[in-house]
Amino acid sequence: MITTTTHLNFRGDARAALELYGSVVGGRVSVVTYDDAHAVQDPADAGRVLWGEVVGANGFHVMAYDVPVRTPFERGVNSTFVSVRSTSAEEVTACWAGLAEGGRVVQDLAPSGWSPLYGMLEDRFGIVWVLDVVPGEPPAR
């Protein structure tokens, strides 16, 4: 089963935004910092959010992260991704192939520290997609 989730992009405000959204919907907030994931390339990113989400019992689900300082970021511009997740590598790989046609690969679909397969691409319409395989149960909807 594939799920899609809005993925919000911030520069240093992801944790505060997730906490706000969680309080509004009564959802559970989960956060992994760059430091937690041993992915710090610039000390300014250490405590910032590499991956975070709010999941509410009412079906609310949003993901967020802080764009690293090495990557250009302008608030309100390119402020969202669409996250595609599945427990099936075959489903993710098939989606990747279709979305990549005529698009631009940002990060190759490959194993990562948190996923058996993870990648990012911009489709031919300019939409940025983050695709990954999540082990075990399908993510909450």
Side-chain angles (χ1 to χ4, degrees):
M1 173 174 68
I2 290 179
T3 63
T4 59
T5 303
T6 303
H7 189 289
L8 307 172
N9 304 326
F10 298 91
R11 171 68 55 74
D13 292 324
R15 182 184 302 269
L18 289 167
E19 289 172 355
L20 170 67
Y21 307 149
S23 72
V24 168
V25 301
R28 175 184 46 84
V29 176
S30 300
V31 169
V32 174
T33 66
Y34 284 88
D35 194 40
D36 294 337
H38 307 287
V40 176
Q41 292 186 13
D42 185 302
D45 290 328
R48 291 185 175 165
V49 176
L50 172 65
W51 176 87
E53 72 178 350
V54 174
V55 177
N58 61 0
F60 182 92
H61 186 200
V62 68
M63 296 171 66
Y65 95 121
D66 286 310
V67 176
V69 296
R70 72 179 185 279
T71 304
F73 178 77
E74 184 178 343
R75 187 176 180 162
V77 176
N78 297 326
S79 58
T80 62
F81 296 152
V82 179
S83 173
V84 175
R85 309 187 96 191
S86 176
T87 57
S88 165
E90 292 77 23
E91 283 184 323
V92 168
T93 301
C95 283
W96 177 270
L99 292 168
E101 189 174 317
R104 177 181 67 88
V105 172
V106 176
Q107 183 167 334
D108 287 327
L109 186 63
S112 72
W114 61 89
S115 175
L117 279 179
Y118 167 85
M120 181 187 294
L121 61 84
E122 181 179 315
D123 71 18
R124 67 179 181 247
F125 303 106
I127 305 300
V128 177
W129 297 82
V130 177
L131 296 91
D132 64 344
V133 173
V134 290
E137 294 297 313
R141 281 191 161 236

